Amino acid sequence: MSKIVIIEDTETIREELKSFLNTYGFEAIAPTNFENIIQETLNEAPDLILLDINLPIFDGYYICREIRKQSDMPIIVVTSRDNEMDELMSMNLGADDFVTKPYNTQILLARIETILRRVQGSSIRDTLVYNDLKLNLSNGSVIYKGEKAELTKNEIKILSCLYKNKGKIVSRDDLMDFMWNADVFVDDNNLSVNVTRLRKKLEALGMEKNIETRRGLGYILP
């Protein structure tokens, strides 16, 4: 279920949007306190934000700018301000779409679904998952049961190769070719060093059973 945060100060619109999105299977969250709205929104880690411009304390432009400094979560500006400069400013600050009030709820729904499909599809392609271990290729990190670690370029290559051959033994020669793929000589010991470092990082996350060595054959992610 995708989570959507509605940042809207008009109670009627806020509650109507919340009810509408809940009806269509979203988890809609509609904060009513705007004093710490930026951090509260980041803490919710929603899949998408619907953001008004005219708000108490901070306007939507400021909120959009501050959220963009810390997150790429999609933002649709939903506002009664309908001139081209407002739209241009919103998009320049990092908004993904701009919808003017009054809006057709079905068209707003279609725009929400389009953005979520694009973002989540991209996210899925960038993420490999195996036995509770998530490898994010776009930011070079692994997450295991909520704990996160950053990987080096070589560690990412080793793990992604083992992921793609999960449950199968990958020979050291194949892994060497996948990692360096060059005619220049690469010391075989480099592979052992990188695998050892990667194992330690996975163990530090709590993943005790990770990359196994099959003597004389290669490595396997069991």
Side-chain angles (χ1 to χ4, degrees):
M1 178 185 293
S2 297
K3 182 191 290 186
I4 298 177
V5 166
I6 302 163
I7 304 179
E8 165 65 64
D9 65 328
T10 304
E11 182 179 359
T12 307
I13 297 175
R14 185 171 64 234
E15 293 305 315
E16 284 178 354
L17 264 179
K18 183 178 179 182
S19 174
F20 173 73
L21 292 172
N22 286 336
T23 301
Y24 278 86
F26 296 100
E27 179 187 0
I29 296 176
T32 55
N33 185 336
F34 296 91
E35 189 172 353
N36 298 309
I37 191 66
I38 295 169
Q39 193 55 52
E40 287 182 14
T41 301
L42 290 168
N43 291 343
E44 289 288 351
D47 298 290
L48 186 142
I49 301 169
L50 296 180
L51 175 64
D52 192 11
I53 292 178
N54 297 321
L55 295 165
I57 304 178
F58 305 112
D59 67 21
Y61 294 138
Y62 179 83
I63 293 171
C64 186
R65 185 188 301 114
E66 292 303 305
I67 287 177
R68 270 293 163 270
K69 290 178 181 176
Q70 303 183 56
S71 173
D72 291 327
M73 59 182 67
I75 300 173
I76 298 179
V77 170
V78 184
T79 178
S80 56
R81 294 166 65 160
D82 60 354
N83 66 60
E84 291 180 349
M85 285 306 297
D86 286 315
E87 181 171 0
L88 181 62
M89 191 166 175
S90 298
M91 304 308 275
N92 283 339
L93 288 173
D96 297 85
D97 204 350
F98 186 91
V99 176
T100 56
K101 301 173 185 172
Y103 46 78
N104 179 303
T105 51
Q106 292 301 322
I107 292 177
L108 176 62
L109 179 65
R111 292 192 176 194
I112 289 171
E113 290 177 336
T114 296
I115 289 177
L116 288 176
R117 237 184 347 261
R118 187 188 72 222
V119 173
Q120 293 175 346
S122 172
S123 175
I124 290 170
R125 286 194 296 275
D126 289 344
T127 304
L128 302 175
V129 182
Y130 185 58
N131 287 352
D132 293 327
L133 182 67
K134 295 181 182 178
L135 169 61
N136 189 319
L137 298 172
S138 62
N139 63 18
S141 67
V142 283
I143 297 177
Y144 181 72
K145 296 184 177 179
E147 298 297 322
K148 182 178 179 181
E150 307 295 332
L151 302 183
T152 66
K153 180 180 176 182
N154 284 339
E155 292 163 353
I156 293 169
K157 281 190 168 184
I158 292 170
L159 198 52
S160 65
C161 184
L162 294 174
Y163 260 99
K164 290 170 184 173
N165 295 278
K166 52 196 175 189
K168 301 177 183 176
I169 296 172
V170 180
S171 72
R172 288 181 62 88
D173 287 343
D174 286 346
L175 208 45
M176 292 278 288
D177 288 341
F178 179 78
M179 290 180 65
W180 287 286
N181 192 27
D183 295 330
V184 297
F185 173 75
V186 177
D187 190 334
D188 181 72
N189 188 51
N190 284 342
L191 177 59
S192 301
V193 170
N194 279 283
V195 169
T196 299
R197 288 175 179 164
L198 178 56
R199 278 177 172 148
K200 288 182 178 177
K201 286 187 179 180
L202 298 180
E203 287 170 2
L205 294 177
M207 189 176 186
E208 296 179 358
K209 187 178 180 182
N210 51 68
I211 301 170
E212 294 182 357
T213 300
R214 299 297 167 85
R215 192 172 298 279
L217 297 175
Y219 300 104
I220 184 171
L221 198 61

